[in-house]
Amino acid sequence: MDQENSLGDLFKKYPFDPQLLDEVYGKDKSVRNHYQQVHQYLSQISLKDFKDLIEYATSASFDQGITFNVYSDKDQGVERIFPFDLFPRLIPNKEWETIERGIIQRGKALNLFLQDLYNDKKILKDKVVPKELIYSSKHYCKHVHDFYPNKDIFVHVSGTDLIKHSDGKFYVLEDNLRCPSGVSYVLSNRIATKKTLPNLFFKSDVQPVVDYPEILSEVLTSVAPHGVDDPVCVLLTPGMYNSAYYEHSFLALQMGVQLVEGRDLFVENNFVYMKTIYGPKKVDVIYRRVDDDFLDPMVFRKDSLLGVPGLISAYREGNVSLANAIGTGVADDKAVYTYVPDIIKYYLGEDPILNNVHTYRCEKDEDLAYVLDNIENLVVKPVDESGGYGIFIGNISSKDEISRFKEVIKSERRKYIAQPIMSLSVHSTYIEDTNLFEPRHIDLRTFSLTGDDIEYVCKGGLTRVALRKGNLIVNSSQGGGSKDTWVYQD
């Protein structure tokens, strides 16, 4: 091996920035203890071999159809390979245990919140959360008033986004409770790591993630309608043009359930049936990856061709279960997010294990004044968007852009929240354009499942990487990449 071209040489050229929290290197640029083995192993690989491994991983992704649609990327086309960096992100088990307890705590509280919100409304009557905030949420759903889903569970699948700040603590950036995506890339990244770095992976004590589809299947089965012992479960997709279609097909295949579109289902006498070559087959549980607005044209958008007419009526009769329940989006409204610590205390009587990022609600006069005066130091987000769309970052915007965006905020105050520009941790990432490892900002999307007597957090998650230097937006829909996330056993 040509030592001049080893990754060890590249690591020596790493542009370490002491102002940032680097997950691989400590303040003196020494390799952190839990990275020693991986760093040493990678250091022995030649750059040529490493590039071959990257090419192999990319080809394997292409062959498996592991793609992602970037709606805004007109130059690159709609569909692209999801970039994957071979240097894994490592999390010690002790650190992970805190994350896991915090996510389970959050999930319990949000489920109780949704049960209460659509029924007794105690939390509104006690003025812990303002009723005006709830009733003005785009995702508040009047069609689940006075309704409990089967087994009283609203959120079966949750994606909680975390960042690690410069103080070394994890913070919840946002909750994703409607149709959180990305878990297929967790599983695909792990497969790619095992194939490209088998000697390193199998001698490392890493927690498995492969059980996610099996647990998801158990969750779906556990919330079947009363009296159904052997439920038929399906995954409902908007179709092949959806940005997460690969994930839909992947999960359906892994769970051994049918992948269906709205046109494959119909409702008769308040029961849902699937069209098959053997005739109609009753469906009991639908893991829907279609947003509320498109689920049933008789209730929501009348022009939707993605849903199933009559589905909500069958749902309210208890003849079919939906995962997640409709109306869950009100709990991941980014303005409601500001109340999650209060929600945890109200229902569980506990302090939050994971903290929120401090958030300003532009609807409040005091908060709006602060945001307008300090927008250069803030990230402003629409409360009802996902995928990184609509985000405004003050310190990289021109004076004209700031001026125009202030007017946008003032015209729709309920729609925007603002947060301090957090110093997201960085991770050494191979950059093809420079042939160097460079620090890139990362976050972590975790995936948790809730069923009847089932609480599960996938022991890994999707580490998303902002591939552009200095960029803080890590979303894959904005051109970000990913890393395999290793949670150690000990």
Side-chain angles (χ1 to χ4, degrees), residues 91-360:
I91 300 178
N93 189 50
K94 188 174 181 182
E95 206 166 297
W96 179 258
E97 285 178 349
T98 302
I99 293 173
E100 188 170 83
R101 285 191 297 110
I103 290 169
I104 288 174
Q105 180 195 52
R106 206 169 177 95
K108 280 182 181 175
L110 289 172
N111 255 312
L112 291 169
F113 173 61
L114 288 163
Q115 290 171 20
D116 183 26
L117 202 61
Y118 288 117
N119 290 278
D120 297 332
K121 299 178 175 55
K122 291 179 181 174
I123 198 166
L124 304 184
K125 294 171 184 172
D126 289 340
K127 299 183 179 180
V128 175
V129 177
K131 63 181 180 183
E132 297 80 10
L133 181 71
I134 298 301
Y135 296 146
S136 61
S137 174
K138 177 182 174 183
H139 298 293
Y140 181 74
C141 182
K142 62 183 181 181
H143 302 289
V144 279
H145 280 185
D146 302 320
F147 174 77
Y148 286 95
N150 288 319
K151 308 296 169 58
D152 296 347
I153 299 169
F154 274 83
V155 182
H156 310 84
V157 183
S158 177
T160 308
D161 291 347
L162 305 173
I163 60 165
K164 194 171 189 179
H165 188 46
S166 56
D167 61 6
K169 296 179 181 176
F170 279 96
Y171 291 80
V172 177
L173 198 59
E174 61 185 55
D175 303 285
N176 296 278
L177 308 178
R178 284 168 281 167
C179 301
S181 63
V183 74
S184 60
Y185 303 110
V186 175
L187 303 174
S188 302
N189 287 351
R190 181 58 53 85
I191 293 170
T193 302
K194 288 180 177 177
K195 285 183 177 178
T196 52
L197 301 170
N199 293 334
L200 171 62
F201 179 83
F202 288 108
K203 71 178 182 181
S204 302
D205 210 8
V206 182
Q207 302 260 23
V209 296
V210 69
D211 55 349
Y212 181 90
E214 181 183 348
I215 306 299
L216 175 59
S217 180
E218 290 176 7
V219 165
L220 298 180
T221 300
S222 77
V223 297
H226 179 70
V228 178
D229 296 327
D230 187 17
V232 173
C233 306
V234 299
L235 193 156
L236 177 62
T237 176
M240 61 181 294
Y241 296 110
N242 184 266
S243 64
Y245 182 71
Y246 162 73
E247 175 156 304
H248 304 163
S249 57
F250 177 88
L251 288 175
L253 181 64
Q254 293 292 312
M255 290 192 290
V257 304
Q258 289 291 325
L259 177 69
V260 298
E261 298 182 24
R263 60 189 174 180
D264 300 318
L265 304 176
F266 68 94
V267 175
E268 188 171 287
N269 296 325
N270 278 335
F271 285 89
V272 180
Y273 294 90
M274 173 171 51
K275 301 170 189 172
T276 79
I277 59 173
Y278 303 107
K281 188 171 187 178
K282 186 164 75 70
V283 171
D284 305 299
V285 183
I286 299 175
Y287 177 32
R288 53 90 174 210
R289 296 296 296 261
V290 175
D291 289 337
D292 287 4
D293 282 351
F294 300 92
L295 267 180
D296 182 347
M298 295 176 69
V299 174
F300 300 109
R301 286 184 54 156
K302 298 185 187 308
D303 60 342
S304 172
L305 300 177
L306 303 177
V308 186
L311 176 60
I312 300 306
S313 178
Y315 178 56
R316 284 197 61 100
E317 287 294 316
N319 295 331
V320 68
S321 297
L322 294 176
N324 288 336
I326 61 172
T328 56
V330 68
D332 75 10
D333 181 308
K334 292 181 180 62
V336 176
Y337 154 93
T338 61
Y339 288 92
V340 172
D342 300 311
I343 290 170
I344 291 171
K345 290 176 184 172
Y346 184 77
Y347 292 109
L348 303 180
E350 302 170 359
D351 290 326
I353 296 169
L354 295 171
N355 291 319
N356 275 12
V357 175
H358 186 77
T359 303
Y360 301 92

